[in-house]
Amino acid sequence: MLHIIGLGLADEKDVSVKGLEVIRKAERVYLEAYTAVLLVDQAQLESYYGRPVILADREMVESKSDEILAGADEKDVAFLVVGDPFGATTHTDLALRCRQHEPPIPTRTLPNASILTAVGATGLSLYNFGQTVSMVFFTEDWKPSSFYDRVAENTGLGFHTLMLLDIKVKEPDLKALARGKIIYEPPRFMTVAQCASQMLEVEEERKQGICSKEALAVGVARLGSDDQQIVAGTLEELAGADLGKPLHSLVLCGKKMHELEWEYVRGFAMDQKKFDDVWKQSYKA
Amino acid sequence: MLHIIGLGLADEKDVSVKGLEVIRKAERVYLEAYTAVLLVDQAQLESYYGRPVILADREMVESKSDEILAGADEKDVAFLVVGDPFGATTHTDLALRCRQHEPPIPTRTLPNASILTAVGATGLSLYNFGQTVSMVFFTEDWKPSSFYDRVAENTGLGFHTLMLLDIKVKEPDLKALARGKIIYEPPRFMTVAQCASQMLEVEEERKQGICSKEALAVGVARLGSDDQQIVAGTLEELAGADLGKPLHSLVLCGKKMHELEWEYVRGFAMDQKKFDDVWKQSYKA
C-alpha cells in the first residue's frame, strides 16, 4: 500500500500519531521536497522517525514514480508531503498512477494541516475566501500576470485571496548548464514583500484597482510554528515588511471583510491607525 | 496559555504528536463538541489521552468562556477542536477573548486536517474551489435558500463549491420544553442525499440551473478514516445515495473541472457511463 502522509506545517512533531506509526513500520520512506518545505531538515526527520528518508524531487515523482511504487502492491511505502497531501495536484497524479498500476496499488491518505486552512490564524474567516492563487518569481523578461485575473474574480465577489508564493529548490544554474555542468542554485523562497511588490507592479500596468497600494492585505510566515509571524497592512506597507525566514504567504483582503474579522486582524497591523482608516473608508459595510 | 488544538477528522490518533504532548500535560482539557464530531466517543479519547475531557457545548463556549479560560494566564489549558481550529469562526472569537482578557492570556494554535482540504481526496483540485457554503436542515416552514446565491457566485466563475452539512447536537425538544422539561433530541447529521434533495428543491423554485438534476457533484463521508466513502454522480443520483454513517459533505462541481480532475473523480461514479456523458456534454472545455 502507498501511504500518502501529510506532515503538517512546521516540524517533525506535526505529523499525526497515526502517520508516525505508519512511517516507523514502512518498507521505504520518501519525502516530497519540491512543492513545500518544513522548518526542519532531513536529518532531524530521520533522527525522529528512526528511519532513513529518501528525498523525492520533481523529476523522481513525475518521471520515475516506478521507483517509488516498486513493491507497494505487497509492502507498505510511505510518501511524506509537507502540509496536506492534496495541497498540490502532483499527489493526486501519484494516486491515479497507483489505481492504474498492474496490479493496482491500494492507497491511503492521511490528511494534515494545510496553509489553506492554517491561514485562519489571521482572523480572516475561511468561509470568505475565493480561489487560491499562485505567484511565481518575476524575471527581467517574464512577468506572468495571469494571477491578476484570478484575484480580480475573487475581489469582484468580495472574497479574500490566499496567494501561495513560489519556491525554487534544486533549480539548475543555467550558465553552468551551458558549460555542460549541472550545478544547482541555492534554494529561494518568495517573501511577502516580494509578492506585494509584484502585485503593485502589475497593478501599475493594469490599473483596475485590484492590487492597489491602499488595498489591505495580511502577510504570514512560518504558520503553525512557535515562531509564526502575522503582519497586516496595505500592499504598499507589506512591500516593505520583513517577516524573516520562509515559508511566507499573503492574503489580499476582500471587501466582504466582516467587522469581526477586522477586529481580529487589526491586532496584527503595522500601523493600526492607518489600517483602521482604510478599513472604515473602503471596506466597512 | 490556551492551546487550541486541532484533532483532525477521524479518531484519537489523528492528533499531532505535538498536540498529544500538550494534552497530556495540560491542567484541563476541553473538547468543543457542537460544530463537528470525531468518529470515536469521549471515553475513547479519555482512555487514549489518559486524561479527563470536559465536553464544551455551544453555551459554554459562547456564554461561559470564563470557566474555560480560568487560570489560563498561568497554567496550560487545552481546547480541542475536531478538524482544524479555524474551521469555525467561534474559535477565533475565543482567541479574541484571550487577547482582551485582563491579564491577557497567551494563545497557541496547533493546526490539523480540515474537511476544507481533505476534500481533495475526491480528485478535485483545491485551487478550483470558490467559497465554502453551509447547508442547514430545512423544516416544514423554514427553507432558507441563501445558499443558492452563494453557490451561484461560485458556479458563475466555474468554481467547485464545498457544502458543509448541518449537524444538530444537544438541541432541546421543543414540545418537552413547552411542558417545562429540558430534554435533548437525539443528534442528527445531514446526509449527502438530504443535501442533494434540498438543493434540487430550491432549484425547482429558482430555476436558474445552478443546482439542476444533471449537475455533477461528489458526496463524501468519513473522510480521513479507513472507512471513508466517495461517490460521484448527478445531483439527482446523489439524492438517492446512501453513504452510511456521518459526517457527510458534498461538492458541487464547477464548469472549470479539468480533464485531470474528471479522470480521477470518474473512478467514484455511481454510473460511470452517465457521469462521462454529462461531463463531455456540459463540462468538458
PDB file of all heavy atoms in Angstrom, chain A residues 227-249:
ATOM      1  N   ASP A 227       7.161  30.150  16.095  1.00  0.00           N
ATOM      2  CA  ASP A 227       7.839  31.334  15.609  1.00  0.00           C
ATOM      3  C   ASP A 227       7.010  32.030  14.527  1.00  0.00           C
ATOM      4  O   ASP A 227       7.498  32.875  13.800  1.00  0.00           O
ATOM      5  CB  ASP A 227       9.170  30.817  15.021  1.00  0.00           C
ATOM      6  CG  ASP A 227      10.036  31.921  14.521  1.00  0.00           C
ATOM      7  OD1 ASP A 227      10.010  32.990  15.132  1.00  0.00           O
ATOM      8  OD2 ASP A 227      10.736  31.697  13.504  1.00  0.00           O
ATOM      9  N   GLN A 228       5.720  31.685  14.413  1.00  0.00           N
ATOM     10  CA  GLN A 228       4.924  32.238  13.307  1.00  0.00           C
ATOM     11  C   GLN A 228       4.785  33.749  13.424  1.00  0.00           C
ATOM     12  O   GLN A 228       4.815  34.314  14.512  1.00  0.00           O
ATOM     13  CB  GLN A 228       3.550  31.565  13.235  1.00  0.00           C
ATOM     14  CG  GLN A 228       2.564  32.020  14.295  1.00  0.00           C
ATOM     15  CD  GLN A 228       1.199  31.330  14.125  1.00  0.00           C
ATOM     16  OE1 GLN A 228       1.092  30.279  13.518  1.00  0.00           O
ATOM     17  NE2 GLN A 228       0.162  31.945  14.662  1.00  0.00           N
ATOM     18  N   GLN A 229       4.640  34.407  12.280  1.00  0.00           N
ATOM     19  CA  GLN A 229       4.504  35.856  12.280  1.00  0.00           C
ATOM     20  C   GLN A 229       3.365  36.262  11.347  1.00  0.00           C
ATOM     21  O   GLN A 229       3.206  35.704  10.262  1.00  0.00           O
ATOM     22  CB  GLN A 229       5.819  36.504  11.829  1.00  0.00           C
ATOM     23  CG  GLN A 229       5.943  37.940  12.312  1.00  0.00           C
ATOM     24  CD  GLN A 229       7.270  38.562  11.960  1.00  0.00           C
ATOM     25  OE1 GLN A 229       8.238  37.850  11.680  1.00  0.00           O
ATOM     26  NE2 GLN A 229       7.327  39.885  11.940  1.00  0.00           N
ATOM     27  N   ILE A 230       2.571  37.212  11.810  1.00  0.00           N
ATOM     28  CA  ILE A 230       1.448  37.708  11.023  1.00  0.00           C
ATOM     29  C   ILE A 230       1.518  39.221  11.017  1.00  0.00           C
ATOM     30  O   ILE A 230       1.666  39.842  12.072  1.00  0.00           O
ATOM     31  CB  ILE A 230       0.098  37.241  11.633  1.00  0.00           C
ATOM     32  CG1 ILE A 230       0.040  35.710  11.711  1.00  0.00           C
ATOM     33  CG2 ILE A 230      -1.079  37.784  10.836  1.00  0.00           C
ATOM     34  CD1 ILE A 230      -1.195  35.159  12.402  1.00  0.00           C
ATOM     35  N   VAL A 231       1.457  39.814   9.834  1.00  0.00           N
ATOM     36  CA  VAL A 231       1.568  41.264   9.711  1.00  0.00           C
ATOM     37  C   VAL A 231       0.497  41.773   8.755  1.00  0.00           C
ATOM     38  O   VAL A 231       0.376  41.270   7.631  1.00  0.00           O
ATOM     39  CB  VAL A 231       2.964  41.663   9.180  1.00  0.00           C
ATOM     40  CG1 VAL A 231       3.008  43.139   8.849  1.00  0.00           C
ATOM     41  CG2 VAL A 231       4.035  41.318  10.203  1.00  0.00           C
ATOM     42  N   ALA A 232      -0.290  42.740   9.206  1.00  0.00           N
ATOM     43  CA  ALA A 232      -1.349  43.285   8.363  1.00  0.00           C
ATOM     44  C   ALA A 232      -1.043  44.711   7.968  1.00  0.00           C
ATOM     45  O   ALA A 232      -0.428  45.459   8.725  1.00  0.00           O
ATOM     46  CB  ALA A 232      -2.680  43.231   9.113  1.00  0.00           C
ATOM     47  N   GLY A 233      -1.471  45.086   6.766  1.00  0.00           N
ATOM     48  CA  GLY A 233      -1.247  46.459   6.330  1.00  0.00           C
ATOM     49  C   GLY A 233      -1.706  46.636   4.895  1.00  0.00           C
ATOM     50  O   GLY A 233      -2.312  45.734   4.310  1.00  0.00           O
ATOM     51  N   THR A 234      -1.412  47.794   4.323  1.00  0.00           N
ATOM     52  CA  THR A 234      -1.710  47.982   2.912  1.00  0.00           C
ATOM     53  C   THR A 234      -0.652  47.236   2.101  1.00  0.00           C
ATOM     54  O   THR A 234       0.426  46.908   2.615  1.00  0.00           O
ATOM     55  CB  THR A 234      -1.647  49.473   2.540  1.00  0.00           C
ATOM     56  OG1 THR A 234      -0.303  49.921   2.775  1.00  0.00           O
ATOM     57  CG2 THR A 234      -2.608  50.302   3.397  1.00  0.00           C
ATOM     58  N   LEU A 235      -0.946  46.992   0.842  1.00  0.00           N
ATOM     59  CA  LEU A 235       0.046  46.316  -0.007  1.00  0.00           C
ATOM     60  C   LEU A 235       1.345  47.115  -0.043  1.00  0.00           C
ATOM     61  O   LEU A 235       2.436  46.551  -0.062  1.00  0.00           O
ATOM     62  CB  LEU A 235      -0.495  46.145  -1.435  1.00  0.00           C
ATOM     63  CG  LEU A 235      -1.309  44.887  -1.722  1.00  0.00           C
ATOM     64  CD1 LEU A 235      -1.677  44.832  -3.197  1.00  0.00           C
ATOM     65  CD2 LEU A 235      -0.570  43.612  -1.314  1.00  0.00           C
ATOM     66  N   GLU A 236       1.206  48.443  -0.052  1.00  0.00           N
ATOM     67  CA  GLU A 236       2.414  49.287  -0.064  1.00  0.00           C
ATOM     68  C   GLU A 236       3.238  49.058   1.206  1.00  0.00           C
ATOM     69  O   GLU A 236       4.472  48.957   1.141  1.00  0.00           O
ATOM     70  CB  GLU A 236       2.011  50.763  -0.182  1.00  0.00           C
ATOM     71  CG  GLU A 236       3.179  51.689  -0.375  1.00  0.00           C
ATOM     72  CD  GLU A 236       2.725  53.119  -0.660  1.00  0.00           C
ATOM     73  OE1 GLU A 236       1.670  53.523  -0.108  1.00  0.00           O
ATOM     74  OE2 GLU A 236       3.417  53.823  -1.428  1.00  0.00           O
ATOM     75  N   GLU A 237       2.567  48.981   2.342  1.00  0.00           N
ATOM     76  CA  GLU A 237       3.292  48.721   3.590  1.00  0.00           C
ATOM     77  C   GLU A 237       3.945  47.338   3.562  1.00  0.00           C
ATOM     78  O   GLU A 237       5.103  47.175   3.963  1.00  0.00           O
ATOM     79  CB  GLU A 237       2.342  48.810   4.793  1.00  0.00           C
ATOM     80  CG  GLU A 237       1.926  50.224   5.156  1.00  0.00           C
ATOM     81  CD  GLU A 237       0.880  50.255   6.288  1.00  0.00           C
ATOM     82  OE1 GLU A 237      -0.018  49.375   6.315  1.00  0.00           O
ATOM     83  OE2 GLU A 237       0.971  51.152   7.127  1.00  0.00           O
ATOM     84  N   LEU A 238       3.182  46.345   3.094  1.00  0.00           N
ATOM     85  CA  LEU A 238       3.714  44.976   3.100  1.00  0.00           C
ATOM     86  C   LEU A 238       4.904  44.824   2.155  1.00  0.00           C
ATOM     87  O   LEU A 238       5.768  43.975   2.362  1.00  0.00           O
ATOM     88  CB  LEU A 238       2.624  43.966   2.756  1.00  0.00           C
ATOM     89  CG  LEU A 238       1.574  43.733   3.858  1.00  0.00           C
ATOM     90  CD1 LEU A 238       0.580  42.661   3.431  1.00  0.00           C
ATOM     91  CD2 LEU A 238       2.224  43.339   5.176  1.00  0.00           C
ATOM     92  N   ALA A 239       4.935  45.658   1.103  1.00  0.00           N
ATOM     93  CA  ALA A 239       6.069  45.600   0.173  1.00  0.00           C
ATOM     94  C   ALA A 239       7.377  45.976   0.875  1.00  0.00           C
ATOM     95  O   ALA A 239       8.465  45.710   0.368  1.00  0.00           O
ATOM     96  CB  ALA A 239       5.816  46.505  -1.029  1.00  0.00           C
ATOM     97  N   GLY A 240       7.261  46.575   2.069  1.00  0.00           N
ATOM     98  CA  GLY A 240       8.458  46.935   2.825  1.00  0.00           C
ATOM     99  C   GLY A 240       8.602  46.129   4.114  1.00  0.00           C
ATOM    100  O   GLY A 240       9.464  46.434   4.942  1.00  0.00           O
ATOM    101  N   ALA A 241       7.770  45.110   4.288  1.00  0.00           N
ATOM    102  CA  ALA A 241       7.798  44.355   5.545  1.00  0.00           C
ATOM    103  C   ALA A 241       8.812  43.210   5.477  1.00  0.00           C
ATOM    104  O   ALA A 241       9.022  42.624   4.423  1.00  0.00           O
ATOM    105  CB  ALA A 241       6.411  43.791   5.840  1.00  0.00           C
ATOM    106  N   ASP A 242       9.426  42.902   6.614  1.00  0.00           N
ATOM    107  CA  ASP A 242      10.367  41.782   6.672  1.00  0.00           C
ATOM    108  C   ASP A 242       9.830  40.754   7.661  1.00  0.00           C
ATOM    109  O   ASP A 242       9.826  40.979   8.864  1.00  0.00           O
ATOM    110  CB  ASP A 242      11.744  42.276   7.121  1.00  0.00           C
ATOM    111  CG  ASP A 242      12.743  41.123   7.241  1.00  0.00           C
ATOM    112  OD1 ASP A 242      12.390  39.984   6.863  1.00  0.00           O
ATOM    113  OD2 ASP A 242      13.868  41.369   7.723  1.00  0.00           O
ATOM    114  N   LEU A 243       9.369  39.625   7.142  1.00  0.00           N
ATOM    115  CA  LEU A 243       8.789  38.597   8.016  1.00  0.00           C
ATOM    116  C   LEU A 243       9.765  37.456   8.302  1.00  0.00           C
ATOM    117  O   LEU A 243       9.375  36.421   8.829  1.00  0.00           O
ATOM    118  CB  LEU A 243       7.489  38.038   7.418  1.00  0.00           C
ATOM    119  CG  LEU A 243       6.231  38.872   7.686  1.00  0.00           C
ATOM    120  CD1 LEU A 243       6.183  40.103   6.808  1.00  0.00           C
ATOM    121  CD2 LEU A 243       4.968  38.045   7.487  1.00  0.00           C
ATOM    122  N   GLY A 244      11.011  37.657   7.946  1.00  0.00           N
ATOM    123  CA  GLY A 244      12.033  36.665   8.306  1.00  0.00           C
ATOM    124  C   GLY A 244      12.011  35.417   7.435  1.00  0.00           C
ATOM    125  O   GLY A 244      11.592  35.442   6.283  1.00  0.00           O
ATOM    126  N   LYS A 245      12.422  34.339   8.028  1.00  0.00           N
ATOM    127  CA  LYS A 245      12.631  33.080   7.302  1.00  0.00           C
ATOM    128  C   LYS A 245      11.362  32.561   6.616  1.00  0.00           C
ATOM    129  O   LYS A 245      10.260  32.920   6.974  1.00  0.00           O
ATOM    130  CB  LYS A 245      13.152  32.025   8.292  1.00  0.00           C
ATOM    131  CG  LYS A 245      14.594  32.247   8.716  1.00  0.00           C
ATOM    132  CD  LYS A 245      15.099  31.125   9.611  1.00  0.00           C
ATOM    133  CE  LYS A 245      14.354  31.087  10.936  1.00  0.00           C
ATOM    134  NZ  LYS A 245      14.794  29.980  11.822  1.00  0.00           N
ATOM    135  N   PRO A 246      11.522  31.685   5.598  1.00  0.00           N
ATOM    136  CA  PRO A 246      10.356  31.107   4.917  1.00  0.00           C
ATOM    137  C   PRO A 246       9.615  30.127   5.837  1.00  0.00           C
ATOM    138  O   PRO A 246      10.140  29.792   6.901  1.00  0.00           O
ATOM    139  CB  PRO A 246      10.985  30.365   3.728  1.00  0.00           C
ATOM    140  CG  PRO A 246      12.420  30.162   4.046  1.00  0.00           C
ATOM    141  CD  PRO A 246      12.790  31.187   5.079  1.00  0.00           C
ATOM    142  N   LEU A 247       8.423  29.644   5.381  1.00  0.00           N
ATOM    143  CA  LEU A 247       7.702  29.986   4.170  1.00  0.00           C
ATOM    144  C   LEU A 247       6.754  31.140   4.442  1.00  0.00           C
ATOM    145  O   LEU A 247       6.193  31.230   5.525  1.00  0.00           O
ATOM    146  CB  LEU A 247       6.862  28.783   3.700  1.00  0.00           C
ATOM    147  CG  LEU A 247       7.629  27.558   3.252  1.00  0.00           C
ATOM    148  CD1 LEU A 247       6.686  26.407   2.965  1.00  0.00           C
ATOM    149  CD2 LEU A 247       8.426  27.864   1.973  1.00  0.00           C
ATOM    150  N   HIS A 248       6.569  31.965   3.416  1.00  0.00           N
ATOM    151  CA  HIS A 248       5.642  33.093   3.513  1.00  0.00           C
ATOM    152  C   HIS A 248       4.407  32.855   2.631  1.00  0.00           C
ATOM    153  O   HIS A 248       4.478  32.148   1.634  1.00  0.00           O
ATOM    154  CB  HIS A 248       6.312  34.367   3.002  1.00  0.00           C
ATOM    155  CG  HIS A 248       7.448  34.868   3.850  1.00  0.00           C
ATOM    156  ND1 HIS A 248       7.977  36.113   3.707  1.00  0.00           N
ATOM    157  CD2 HIS A 248       8.136  34.274   4.862  1.00  0.00           C
ATOM    158  CE1 HIS A 248       8.967  36.282   4.589  1.00  0.00           C
ATOM    159  NE2 HIS A 248       9.088  35.177   5.292  1.00  0.00           N
ATOM    160  N   SER A 249       3.301  33.479   3.014  1.00  0.00           N
ATOM    161  CA  SER A 249       2.121  33.544   2.153  1.00  0.00           C
ATOM    162  C   SER A 249       1.489  34.909   2.362  1.00  0.00           C
ATOM    163  O   SER A 249       1.794  35.605   3.335  1.00  0.00           O
ATOM    164  CB  SER A 249       1.093  32.465   2.505  1.00  0.00           C
ATOM    165  OG  SER A 249       1.662  31.185   2.467  1.00  0.00           O
TER     166      SER A 249
END
